[in-house]
């Protein structure tokens, strides 16, 4: 049985970002507008890392490297997380055709009509299903995005009711 919130969470109305975008609104709904204190400014924006190349992590060093290579790549990973917040993974041995098929199916899912996507709703306070994640109150500012997430591992987090029937190959 997948985890559920311990107590009911009241999140209020949440607009679907894709649907909002289609209407070409003149203003952004206040729920998506950050307070001035939450917005970055030039004085508070951290300087970019001194190295201007995106960090690259070679996964094969974790699986096939000697102790020194493993430790070096762990250091590179930690540095990438601390200084950049993201990185590119190479030599992961995941079939690129599989990655492309997953991307295409995901795109197909997001292009479905809203009514179809809403058959797999993200329950308030959870992160699985279609909708907005990490919403815990009616007053909370929302990210300008829709997401669809499925838990796979460990097995107890899986929720087969959230697995979409469309696209068929999903």
């Amino acid at each position: 049985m997948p985890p559920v919130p311990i107590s009911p969470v009241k999140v209020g109305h949440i607009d679907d970002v894709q649907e909002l975008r289609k209407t070409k609104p003149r203003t952004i709904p206040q729920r998506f507008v950050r307070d001035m204190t939450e917005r970055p400014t030039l004085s508070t924006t951290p300087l970019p890392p001194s190295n201007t190349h995106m960090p690259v992590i070679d996964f094969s060093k974790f699986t096939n490297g000697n102790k020194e290579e493993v430790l070096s790549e762990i250091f590179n990973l930690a540095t990438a997380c601390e200084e950049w917040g993201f990185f590119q993974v190479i030599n992961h041995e995941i079939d690129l055709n599989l990655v492309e098929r997953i991307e295409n199916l995901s795109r197909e899912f997001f292009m479905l009509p809203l009514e179809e996507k809403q058959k797999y709703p993200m329950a308030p306070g959870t992160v699985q299903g279609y909708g907005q994640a990490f919403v815990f109150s009616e007053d909370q500012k929302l990210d300008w995005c829709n997401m669809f997430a499925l838990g796979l591992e460990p097995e107890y987090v899986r929720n087969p009711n959230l697995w979409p029937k469309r696209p068929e190959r999903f």
Side-chain angles (χ1 to χ4, degrees):
M1 178 92 181
V4 294
I6 296 171
S7 60
V9 178
K10 294 182 181 179
V11 298
H13 175 75
I14 299 176
D15 287 307
D16 184 272
V17 173
Q18 278 182 293
E19 296 301 308
L20 276 174
R21 197 177 132 261
K22 287 178 189 176
T23 66
K24 299 181 180 171
R26 292 182 178 265
T27 60
I28 297 172
Q30 283 303 303
R31 193 99 194 253
F32 295 98
V33 179
R34 301 280 174 185
D35 295 329
M36 292 303 287
T37 57
E38 294 182 79
R39 298 180 195 179
T41 63
L42 289 177
S43 61
T44 60
T45 305
L47 295 173
S50 56
N51 178 358
T52 58
H53 298 288
M54 179 174 59
V56 176
I57 304 301
D58 186 345
F59 198 81
S60 69
K61 291 184 180 176
F62 293 121
T63 56
N64 302 322
N66 60 38
K67 184 177 180 178
E68 186 176 304
E69 290 172 317
V70 170
L71 291 174
S72 174
E73 209 58 22
I74 288 172
F75 175 78
N76 292 341
L77 177 59
T79 302
C81 291
E82 290 170 4
E83 293 183 7
W84 286 79
F86 61 90
F87 49 88
Q88 177 184 6
V89 178
I90 61 170
N91 299 324
H92 46 68
E93 298 182 10
I94 298 173
D95 183 351
L96 291 180
N97 289 325
L98 173 62
V99 173
E100 287 175 4
R101 287 195 314 269
I102 291 170
E103 286 177 5
N104 289 335
L105 281 171
S106 299
R107 191 173 296 110
E108 283 182 50
F109 176 82
F110 278 98
M111 292 298 109
L112 291 171
L114 179 62
E115 299 75 34
E116 184 68 24
K117 295 179 284 193
Q118 287 179 328
K119 292 178 181 177
Y120 313 100
M122 186 177 294
T126 67
V127 293
Q128 289 194 66
Y130 178 78
Q132 284 269 348
F134 309 107
V135 182
F136 300 104
S137 81
E138 294 178 272
D139 302 323
Q140 180 178 341
K141 296 296 184 181
L142 302 176
D143 293 325
W144 186 257
C145 70
N146 298 324
M147 67 175 278
F148 182 64
L150 294 169
L152 300 175
E153 295 293 337
E155 191 171 336
Y156 71 85
V157 303
R158 293 182 191 170
N159 186 344
N161 296 328
L162 293 176
W163 205 266
K165 306 222 179 335
R166 291 180 56 202
E168 288 182 25
R169 297 179 320 263
F170 204 96

